[in-house]
């Protein structure tokens, strides 16, 4: 088992990074890896409530974030500073997350066995 | 110790900026592809002055930047492989 | 000797990512390391399209991957879901969909994303491009 960190850094819908990052995270969890998700910069926008991906011709992968706990993925972190920069707060997000600062993110990147950036 | 890699130009996105925010003192940075163009910016040059920095030589030469960037540590693909082993992991932004 | 899994996220033509990965893989092998597999994900799956047809005086990266894999017995694994939605199909995928044509063949093989995960689990290093 490895500690795999998936870093979401890009906004959803205009590129498949978010969707393919989530696919990878779910697969890793179903293969019994210790998975954590960290959302920074516009990657945070993946977690907004009330999105309608079908309006962009895409599948609604956003709803899939809600099933992460069923895969035992509970380490979901959002960069506090970036959330504030986007003028958003925790109530705007679809799922329960833990807000952490840049220093804590550095520590998590250092602790992981592998980090994949999407 | 992490080896961070940047393949894209700062003109195309914020990959390097994100990397620098989360990079620690003991980490290293490898610029390859258009990531090398970062060093054409005096501001970024300054920002990287205390970073352990490597450039992929073939990509520097391909871009005609060997003279402009001669002060930096140029590495081969073989060196790149060795760096991935001497660091604990590689993060490609 | 160290063991590697290489992840390729960019196409054979139009970005440098696949070329970087190719040269890195060659350098790994020449240094005596083992490349357990090369996993193609995101736009990287386009490398498996066997219909790349660059001019005869240009480097054919998709072909170079196939030759490298054959020479060194390295599995080239394409994420099947990412590949199919980008129009890269192996014969078995095409047959399941009752399609008469396909554009990917050995040494590339289409497999699940789980191959990336198991590769990460067993290899000492993941290097993504």
């Amino acid at each position: 088992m490895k500690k795999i960190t998936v870093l979401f850094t890009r906004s959803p819908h205009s590129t498949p990074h978010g969707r393919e990052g989530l696919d990878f995270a779910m697969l890793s969890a179903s293969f019994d890896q210790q998975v954590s998700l960290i959302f920074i910069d516009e990657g945070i926008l993946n977690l907004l409530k009330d999105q309608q991906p079908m309006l962009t011709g895409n599948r609604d992968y956003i709803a899939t974030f809600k099933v992460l706990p069923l895969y035992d993925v509970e380490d979901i972190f959002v960069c506090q500073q970036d959330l504030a920069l986007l003028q958003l707060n925790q109530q705007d997000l679809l799922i329960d997350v833990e807000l952490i600062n840049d220093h804590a993110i550095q520590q998590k990147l250092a602790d992981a066995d592998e980090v994949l950036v999407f | 110790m992490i080896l961070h890699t940047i393949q894209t130009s700062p003109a195309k996105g914020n990959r390097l900026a994100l990397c620098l925010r989360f990079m620690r003192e003991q980490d290293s940075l490898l610029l390859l592809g258009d990531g090398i163009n970062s060093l054409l910016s005096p501001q970024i040059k300054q920002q990287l002055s205390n970073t352990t920095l490597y450039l992929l030589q073939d990509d520097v030469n391909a871009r005609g930047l060997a003279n402009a960037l001669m002060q930096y540590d140029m590495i081969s693909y073989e060196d790149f492989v060795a760096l991935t082993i001497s660091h604990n992991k590689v993060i490609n932004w | 000797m160290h063991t590697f899994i290489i992840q390729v996220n960019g196409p054979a033509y139009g970005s440098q990512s696949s070329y970087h990965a190719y040269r890195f893989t060659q350098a790994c092998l020449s240094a005596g390391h083992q490349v357990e597999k090369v996993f193609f994900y995101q736009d990287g799956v386009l490398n498996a399209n066997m219909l790349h047809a660059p001019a005869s005086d240009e480097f054919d990266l998709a072909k170079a991957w196939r030759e490298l894999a054959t020479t060194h017995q390295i599995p080239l694994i394409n994420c099947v879901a990412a590949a199919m939605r980008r129009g890269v199909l192996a014969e078995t995928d095409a047959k399941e969909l009752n399609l008469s044509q396909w554009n990917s063949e050995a040494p590339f093989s289409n497999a699940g994303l789980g191959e990336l995960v198991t590769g990460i689990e067993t290899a000492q290093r993941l290097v993504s491009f």
Side-chain angles (χ1 to χ4, degrees):
Chain A
M1 189 189 72
K2 284 204 172 168
K3 281 195 259 181
I4 299 178
T5 294
V6 185
L7 198 55
F8 291 81
T9 68
R10 295 177 175 95
S11 62
H13 313 310
S14 66
T15 71
H17 286 102
R19 177 191 180 172
E20 295 185 330
L22 179 60
D23 282 350
F24 172 73
M26 308 271 282
L27 246 299
S28 300
S30 66
F31 277 70
D32 295 324
Q33 307 300 306
Q34 191 183 329
V35 183
S36 59
L37 279 60
I38 304 178
F39 295 82
I40 63 171
D41 204 66
E42 286 194 354
I44 294 172
L45 300 177
N46 281 284
L47 295 180
L48 279 189
K49 283 178 185 165
D50 300 328
Q51 297 188 63
Q52 301 179 62
M54 289 87 80
L55 296 177
T56 66
N58 290 302
R59 170 162 136 181
D60 183 8
Y61 76 92
I62 303 292
T64 311
F65 282 107
K66 286 193 284 195
V67 308
L68 284 169
L70 300 178
Y71 285 75
D72 290 325
V73 178
E74 272 142 19
D75 293 331
I76 305 175
F77 305 99
V78 166
C79 176
Q80 202 162 22
Q81 182 191 330
D82 291 351
L83 185 69
L85 274 175
L86 296 166
Q87 310 211 51
L88 297 168
N89 58 54
Q90 220 159 344
Q91 286 72 49
D92 298 313
L93 305 180
L94 185 69
I95 52 172
D96 285 336
V97 301
E98 188 181 330
L99 299 186
I100 58 175
N101 62 22
D102 282 16
H103 181 74
I105 293 173
Q106 283 182 341
Q107 191 58 50
K108 291 193 182 300
L109 298 182
D111 290 344
D113 289 313
E114 298 292 356
V115 177
L116 286 89
V117 179
F118 287 91
Chain B
M1 252 179 34
I2 302 174
L3 176 66
H4 299 267
T5 58
I6 299 287
Q7 303 190 84
T8 52
S9 160
K12 264 209 164 163
N14 62 352
R15 300 292 102 190
L16 179 63
L18 280 183
C19 167
L20 293 178
R21 255 178 75 192
F22 298 105
M23 193 173 160
R24 305 204 291 186
E25 231 172 88
Q26 61 268 40
D27 295 347
S28 309
L29 176 64
L30 167 64
L31 301 177
L32 65 166
D34 285 349
I36 289 164
N37 302 354
S38 308
L39 293 170
L40 301 177
S41 149
Q43 290 85 347
I44 296 176
K45 237 176 170 159
Q46 175 63 33
Q47 218 182 339
L48 294 177
S49 55
N50 292 318
T51 304
T52 307
L53 180 62
Y54 304 96
L55 309 185
L56 191 66
Q57 175 122 47
D58 277 6
D59 285 352
V60 172
N61 292 347
R63 286 163 176 72
L65 293 171
N67 278 331
L69 302 177
M70 63 191 291
Q71 69 198 90
Y72 295 102
D73 199 350
M74 307 279 178
I75 66 165
S76 65
Y77 280 93
E78 285 71 20
D79 300 327
F80 181 7
V81 171
L83 284 178
T84 66
I85 295 167
S86 62
H87 290 72
N88 299 326
K89 68 182 139 274
V90 187
I91 301 181
N92 177 42
W93 294 83
Chain C
M1 191 204 70
H2 286 74
T3 55
F4 287 82
I5 173 167
I6 312 290
Q7 188 197 1
V8 184
N9 296 319
Y13 188 79
S15 96
Q16 231 193 308
S17 131
S18 175
Y19 184 73
H20 283 141
Y22 173 77
R23 292 284 306 275
F24 184 90
T25 303
Q26 277 185 321
C28 272
L29 297 169
S30 64
H33 301 303
Q34 189 198 341
V35 176
E36 290 188 0
K37 69 182 88 166
V38 183
F39 190 88
F40 296 83
Y41 194 38
Q42 301 184 279
D43 288 349
V45 297
L46 298 170
N47 286 275
N49 183 346
M50 65 188 184
L51 298 178
H52 281 92
S56 59
D57 60 348
E58 286 180 37
F59 181 62
D60 188 340
L61 180 55
K63 186 171 158 218
W65 272 120
R66 296 196 294 268
E67 288 170 354
L68 186 74
T70 307
T71 309
H72 296 277
Q73 301 291 304
I74 301 169
L76 302 180
I77 312 286
N78 235 14
C79 173
V80 62
M84 288 180 73
R85 53 186 180 241
R86 287 172 175 84
V88 177
L89 276 72
E91 185 176 358
T92 48
D93 309 321
K95 295 238 156 105
E96 270 176 36
L97 296 170
N98 290 318
L99 296 171
S100 57
Q101 294 172 63
W102 53 92
N103 56 355
S104 171
E105 61 177 9
F108 277 94
S109 60
N110 274 357
L113 195 46
E115 286 278 340
L116 174 58
V117 182
T118 56
I120 290 172
E121 188 168 28
T122 57
Q124 288 166 298
R125 281 288 179 283
L126 164 71
V127 186
S128 303
F129 292 91

